Amino acid sequence: MLSFARRLLGRPLPRRESDSQRLPSLIALPILSSDALSSVAYATEAALGVLLLAGSGALGLSLPITVCIVGLIAIVVLSYRQAIEAYPEGGGSYVVARENLGAWAGLVAAAALLVDYTLTAAVSLMAAAQALSSLLPGLLAHETSLSLLLLALVGWANLRGLKEAGRLFVVPTYAFVVMVALLALFGLQNIVFAHGFRPDAPPAIAALEPLGLFLILRAFSAGCSAMTGIEAIANGVKVFREPSARRAQATLLVMGVLLALLFLAVSGLAYLYGIAPNPDRTVLAQIGLRVFGPGNPLYWFLQISTLLILGLAANTAFAGFPRLAALLAKDRYLPRQMAWLGDRLVFQNGIGLLLLVSALVIVVCRGNTNVAINLYALGVFLAFTLSQAGLVKHWWVRRGQGWSGRLALNALGAFTTGVVFAVIVVSKFDEGAWIVVLLLPLLVWGLAGIGRRYKRVYDAIELKPGEDCSVPWPDRRDPLENQSIVWLASWSRPTLEALRYAAQVSDRVIGVWVCEPEDDFEALRLRWHRLVGDAPQFELRLLESPFASLIDPFAQFVAEEEARCPGSQFTIVMPMAIPRRRFDHLLLNQRGLNMREALNAQHSRVFTLVRYFPPA
């Protein structure tokens, strides 16, 4: 089983290769921007679809709406560049809101982004499956299965690591950008030298609703789907090679310029050619037919590149969701295992969770985007607003050179994205947005509940100042012919009780701490000395793990000690906090349980679980 997993996902990568797994800007751009750039394929059509309700005469408003959205893109991109400058370690909206507006605002931003990332993955893959079935009608009955297959492919690529994902996504993303750029250039040539700048009349379609401000705002909010994914670069600063913050800022600017130009080109050509939404052919495909012609290979290249980028746009979610989940886990708002690095130096538990939830959305929607699309963009605009509001406070408190201009830009960003969020809630509430409006508070409540439970448990097991934390060696004459190896993961009451137990049943106690890169060796040795003093029967072993796994070095150490002392009896002592509530087993002891399984997989050993019962 292990060898199959290694062949499927690749060999474990040593920690020293973590920097080599970071990406140059040219590869990071398609990984983190595929969602935003792919929106060019459907954002114009989304706005036109709403305007068409007022009749074909209202379609001309798509161009000023596009210009307004491009202005909003510029504000958000420039604002997020400032967010990267202020928080170069990354984290995006969650970190900015948490640091400036408080923990609750941070949780709201995090919940909004978790929902948005999940919908991004599901909607993108369902849209790709629908695009493929439109080319091959025989697949119409299998769109759900096809969406799940594409989900598995994208998940597998991300589990293999950043570089592997980059190789898969670079060519389709750049191919789409090149094809839309060629569409714009050929279309401009046709308009200048043949067609002229006078727009064609769209097909005559009767109005179903009067053209009013509310309808225009609905069209604007639909077109704002072009902005989903912009925040991914600010969340994933650590994906870039050093200097990561500067590279992320430059890449974000390039992405913003590309998105604005391509979006303007598609909307402008649709306006000049008098194109209206058609259930049998997308707006982008209709423009391609007018510019390239039906028999031109460039038309097919445009269609195929569109199909591919729609499928691969899900990768933006796979780049952002696991990192955000890891940040939440480090702050103890999600189970701690969400912050564990896998063998391929990616947050594999976060990727697995996203795979599971996205698959559930696809199955519930039966591979059809009509339901999920109405929930789209709501979360991201809420996160935009909280991030910009947080930066307003950041510049107000920090001041410094040029602070007033930065504050003004972020205040403008907070106001505009807040208005768009309100418009989306009102205009799409009956179409499904109510689901997200209900889901977000529940998700925030769940995250906060996990945080409260962790705080209560950790407060209970924490060693308090002035508490008796000594581990005396018992006075006995006869040897016990037993040695204990104690797994050390924290300085806590369960650890203290485990050491005291080991001293009672052993002639020698070895405490083993498998170090992570941020651990301070001297601080660990000092804390150990405070517990056990100078008793020679106690030994501390600090192990460095060349790989992400903390379990393998401990298991290897146990095997080496047993081989070195073949006649000795060893007891593996593991401190455990015993779950008292239904879901405690998801929060506590996961690494210890994995350790026990790994040691038992080699051969049977004597285990002692020293139990500690946290409060209910």
Side-chain angles (χ1 to χ4, degrees):
M1 185 68 181
L2 180 61
S3 60
F4 172 76
R6 290 280 165 85
R7 285 197 298 269
L8 186 66
L9 302 179
R11 64 175 179 82
L13 296 172
R15 290 181 187 270
R16 65 175 181 273
E17 291 187 17
S18 59
D19 285 342
S20 69
Q21 287 294 300
R22 292 192 175 196
L23 304 174
S25 300
L26 281 174
I27 296 179
L29 175 65
I31 286 182
L32 296 174
S33 303
S34 54
D35 177 27
L37 294 176
S38 71
S39 65
V40 172
Y42 54 78
T44 299
E45 184 162 6
L48 290 173
V50 176
L51 290 173
L52 194 60
L53 295 173
S56 54
L59 296 180
L61 291 174
S62 65
L63 203 54
I65 286 174
T66 298
V67 172
C68 291
I69 294 173
V70 166
L72 188 57
I73 289 171
I75 292 171
V76 171
V77 166
L78 293 175
S79 298
Y80 269 109
R81 278 173 55 85
Q82 293 188 171
I84 294 171
E85 179 184 348
Y87 296 92
E89 295 299 310
S93 300
Y94 167 62
V95 170
V96 174
R98 182 196 66 192
E99 295 296 318
N100 296 283
L101 304 177
W104 282 103
L107 290 180
V108 172
L113 284 176
L114 290 174
V115 170
D116 182 69
Y117 283 138
T118 302
L119 291 173
T120 293
V123 170
S124 298
L125 293 168
M126 288 189 289
Q130 288 177 342
L132 184 58
S133 63
S134 65
L135 285 176
L136 302 171
L139 297 175
L140 279 170
H142 307 287
E143 286 182 344
T144 301
S145 300
L146 189 56
S147 300
L148 294 173
L149 179 62
L150 292 173
L151 176 65
L153 176 64
V154 175
W156 166 75
N158 280 274
L159 285 170
R160 287 186 62 87
L162 282 174
K163 276 192 171 180
E164 297 288 343
R167 292 191 186 103
L168 180 63
F169 301 123
V170 164
V171 174
T173 304
Y174 283 127
F176 176 76
V177 170
V178 169
M179 289 312 304
V180 177
L182 287 175
L183 181 73
L185 290 174
F186 279 80
L188 182 62
Q189 180 189 42
N190 175 261
I191 287 166
V192 171
F193 297 107
H195 180 279
F197 287 92
R198 185 173 182 177
D200 294 339
I205 299 173
L208 299 176
E209 296 182 18
L211 179 63
L213 178 61
F214 185 68
L215 187 71
I216 294 172
L217 290 175
R218 284 174 58 193
F220 175 76
S221 67
C224 281
S225 58
M227 299 182 62
T228 57
I230 288 178
E231 80 292 340
I233 291 176
N235 289 340
V237 173
K238 287 303 178 183
V239 167
F240 292 84
R241 289 179 181 171
E242 295 294 345
S244 56
R246 197 167 68 196
R247 287 178 182 271
Q249 284 182 306
T251 305
L252 180 59
L253 184 61
V254 170
M255 186 270 289
V257 171
L258 284 175
L259 175 60
L261 291 177
L262 298 181
F263 186 32
L264 274 173
V266 172
S267 294
L269 291 173
Y271 170 72
L272 290 170
Y273 286 130
I275 288 174
N278 185 324
D280 297 324
R281 186 169 285 128
T282 66
V283 166
L284 190 62
Q286 293 181 66
I287 298 171
L289 283 173
R290 289 289 300 270
V291 173
F292 296 134
N296 194 322
L298 290 176
Y299 171 72
W300 287 99
F301 288 147
L302 174 66
Q303 289 294 88
I304 292 171
S305 66
T306 302
L307 185 155
L308 291 175
I309 197 171
L310 283 172
L312 300 183
N315 192 66
T316 297
F318 279 91
F321 185 101
R323 291 181 176 276
L324 177 57
L327 283 173
L328 289 167
K330 288 177 182 177
D331 290 342
R332 297 177 183 171
Y333 291 119
L334 279 177
R336 300 298 300 274
Q337 54 266 35
M338 288 294 142
W340 296 353
L341 274 177
D343 287 339
R344 298 291 293 181
L345 303 181
V346 294
F347 297 108
Q348 60 184 25
N349 290 329
I351 293 173
L353 178 61
L354 180 58
L355 280 169
L356 179 64
V357 180
S358 299
L360 181 63
V361 173
I362 290 171
V363 171
V364 169
C365 295
R366 298 181 180 179
N368 192 322
T369 60
N370 290 338
V371 177
I373 200 72
N374 291 318
L375 316 181
Y376 212 34
L378 189 63
V380 75
F381 273 95
L382 178 56
F384 283 164
T385 303
L386 291 170
S387 174
Q388 304 312 306
L391 285 171
V392 168
K393 183 178 179 182
H394 174 85
W395 300 124
W396 177 260
V397 172
R398 298 292 180 89
R399 304 292 174 115
Q401 185 177 6
W403 70 273
S404 57
R406 293 173 178 177
L407 185 148
L409 176 62
N410 289 130
L412 178 62
F415 174 76
T416 52
T417 56
V419 168
V420 174
F421 171 73
V423 168
I424 293 174
V425 171
V426 173
S427 64
K428 293 189 176 182
F429 190 84
D430 292 336
E431 300 172 14
W434 63 269
I435 297 174
V436 177
V437 172
L438 284 178
L439 179 61
L440 286 178
L442 291 174
L443 189 52
V444 170
W445 175 79
L447 295 173
I450 291 173
R452 286 192 299 270
R453 184 58 181 157
Y454 267 130
K455 186 178 187 305
R456 184 166 183 177
V457 170
Y458 276 78
D459 283 348
I461 68 177
E462 182 184 11
L463 297 174
K464 304 296 191 295
E467 184 178 351
D468 180 16
C469 298
S470 62
V471 185
W473 190 260
D475 184 17
R476 57 172 173 258
R477 297 179 181 178
D478 299 326
L480 300 176
E481 298 183 354
N482 182 61
Q483 301 185 50
S484 289
I485 299 176
V486 182
W487 162 255
L488 303 177
S490 64
W491 304 116
S492 61
R493 288 182 180 177
T495 300
L496 181 64
E497 295 304 318
L499 288 171
R500 287 173 175 170
Y501 170 83
Q504 294 293 329
V505 301
S506 308
D507 302 315
R508 175 177 173 237
V509 175
I510 308 171
V512 178
W513 188 295
V514 183
C515 299
E516 298 195 66
E518 63 272 14
D519 286 335
D520 184 336
F521 281 39
E522 288 306 315
L524 292 174
R525 291 190 182 98
L526 180 62
R527 194 66 185 269
W528 171 262
H529 187 265
R530 289 176 183 170
L531 292 178
V532 304
D534 296 319
Q537 295 89 346
F538 288 107
E539 298 179 30
L540 174 65
R541 298 293 180 89
L542 301 178
L543 307 181
E544 293 187 74
S545 176
F547 298 94
S549 172
L550 303 184
I551 295 174
D552 291 344
F554 183 84
Q556 184 179 353
F557 174 82
V558 171
E560 289 173 355
E561 284 295 305
E562 291 174 335
R564 192 171 63 84
C565 307
S568 298
Q569 173 71 45
F570 283 88
T571 298
I572 313 301
V573 181
M574 307 189 74
M576 287 278 184
I578 302 303
R580 299 288 294 273
R581 290 186 178 179
R582 181 176 298 175
F583 297 108
D584 274 357
H585 66 280
L586 296 175
L587 307 180
L588 305 172
N589 304 321
Q590 291 298 311
R591 189 158 267 155
L593 295 173
N594 292 343
M595 180 76 69
R596 185 176 181 180
E597 291 178 7
L599 291 171
N600 272 333
Q602 296 175 355
H603 55 79
S604 60
R605 291 182 168 89
V606 178
F607 279 94
T608 297
L609 303 180
V610 178
R611 294 172 172 83
Y612 176 81
F613 293 87

